[in-house]
Amino acid sequence: MPLLFAMDLPVGSQVPFQTNPQSPLDPIQLAVPLELDQIEVERFDPVARAAELAASLPRQWCGTFEPFDGNPTVDVMLVITQMTAIGQMVNLRGKMTLGSVITPVQGNIHAKSDQLELIPLADSLIAGLEPGGVFLGLQMFSPTSWQAPRLVNMANPSSGVGGRLAMTSGCQEEPPVQPLW
């Protein structure tokens, strides 16, 4: 085992650094494209998907919001008035009706991961939602969770503790499911 000694070097001196050209982390080797014979590789273009989502995503969404603090479940309707593709993101703006409260909203959808951020912009919202919070969705609009702007609101400790928003595209009434037995 070789012994290593520490020694003082004069200012401005350089220590030679040697690399092994056969190392798997060699930048020259990393830059070589991987070629696969007779295997079809899927090519995904998130910029093109963002443009396609902005053109084809439904403009009306309906569902319910269930606060985790025990407040009653409310009906929700989202109407998207503007959708714009910006790179891999889809920027959206519209209006959301939460029970009897109507609020402007803005948000983003990431075209590659389908993650959604939807921000209600009104100064006063329904019980269970506090201004400054955001709806976060990992699969676009449903299911979506409410992320409060803080853990505790001292003015109303039960507000803004979170909740679940479940929405579907279109707002047609679905017939009730009848069990067969």
Side-chain angles (χ1 to χ4, degrees):
M1 174 182 242
L3 293 175
L4 301 174
F5 296 101
M7 59 189 330
D8 292 330
L9 295 174
V11 174
S13 65
Q14 296 181 358
V15 176
F17 178 73
Q18 296 180 359
T19 62
N20 180 357
Q22 301 302 320
S23 170
L25 297 179
D26 184 22
I28 295 173
Q29 294 296 323
L30 291 175
V32 175
L34 178 65
E35 293 181 16
L36 302 173
D37 293 333
Q38 298 177 349
I39 297 177
E40 192 171 317
V41 178
E42 178 183 352
R43 298 187 188 274
F44 179 74
D45 184 1
V47 175
R49 182 160 188 265
E52 186 249 324
L53 282 174
S56 67
L57 204 62
R59 301 295 199 242
Q60 192 170 8
W61 295 79
C62 291
T64 58
F65 175 70
E66 181 181 356
F68 293 151
D69 62 3
N71 281 309
T73 299
V74 296
D75 290 330
V76 176
M77 186 169 77
L78 171 66
V79 177
I80 301 171
T81 57
Q82 178 184 1
M83 261 196 268
T84 309
I86 304 171
Q88 297 183 17
M89 304 297 286
V90 177
N91 181 281
L92 57 95
R93 298 184 188 271
K95 289 185 180 181
M96 179 181 268
T97 304
L98 299 154
S100 61
V101 175
I102 298 174
T103 176
V105 292
Q106 71 179 40
N108 295 307
I109 299 172
H110 192 277
K112 189 171 185 179
S113 65
D114 285 345
Q115 292 180 352
L116 166 77
E117 293 179 353
L118 191 62
I119 305 166
L121 301 174
D123 290 334
S124 61
L125 299 168
I126 63 170
L129 300 181
E130 183 181 356
V134 61
F135 288 106
L136 298 174
L138 297 178
Q139 298 172 348
M140 283 201 208
F141 291 98
S142 191
T144 308
S145 66
W146 173 253
Q147 198 71 39
R150 57 181 144 217
L151 292 175
V152 177
N153 180 356
M154 297 311 288
N156 184 0
S158 68
S159 83
V161 296
R164 182 178 184 274
L165 176 69
M167 294 194 299
T168 58
S169 63
C171 293
Q172 293 82 18
E173 288 290 324
E174 295 183 18
V177 177
Q178 298 290 328
L180 300 173
W181 8 333

